[in-house]
């Protein structure tokens, strides 16, 4: 995960979502896109993960649960945004 304090939302790529989701899981539809720093460009958003997914950071014992947006346009696998921080 890349920490991005400029991103208002936590986002994961569509390929990552397809790897970690269960077959029956669906995305909650989201209207519009999400702005990125790159010249005001909007990323396409496929939806939001309906059921929070666990996130473990390094050697921390604590698991965090996130419901990120999913984008097919994200160049990284994931961004931790301000909603996580």
């Amino acid at each position: 995960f890349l920490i991005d304090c400029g991103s208002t939302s936590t986002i994961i790529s569509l390929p990552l979502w397809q790897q970690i989701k269960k077959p029956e899981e669906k995305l909650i539809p989201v209207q519009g896109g999400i702005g990125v720093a790159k010249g005001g460009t909007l990323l396409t958003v496929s939806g939001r993960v309906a059921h929070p997914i666990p996130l473990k950071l390094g050697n921390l014992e604590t698991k965090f649960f996130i419901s990120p947006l999913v984008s097919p346009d994200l160049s990284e696998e994931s961004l931790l945004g301000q909603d996580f921080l």
Side-chain angles (χ1 to χ4, degrees):
F1 276 87
L2 177 67
I3 296 174
D4 183 359
C5 62
S7 176
T8 56
S9 296
T10 296
I11 312 167
I12 63 174
S13 68
L14 184 58
L16 177 59
W17 168 243
Q18 290 168 335
Q19 286 177 8
I20 64 174
K21 76 179 190 83
K22 295 176 184 159
E24 69 278 1
E25 284 186 289
K26 304 286 185 220
L27 296 174
I28 298 170
V30 174
Q31 290 186 359
I34 187 165
V36 293
K38 192 176 179 178
T41 306
L42 286 180
L43 288 178
T44 302
V45 175
S46 301
R48 180 175 294 279
V49 174
H51 300 286
I53 55 177
L55 169 65
K56 189 169 184 312
L57 299 174
N59 293 329
L60 293 177
E61 291 187 27
T62 303
K63 280 186 187 175
F64 301 92
F65 290 87
I66 59 172
S67 293
L69 294 172
V70 177
S71 174
D73 301 334
L74 193 62
S75 59
E76 303 289 331
E77 275 196 338
S78 57
L79 293 176
L80 287 177
Q82 291 177 9
D83 58 344
F84 176 79
L85 302 175

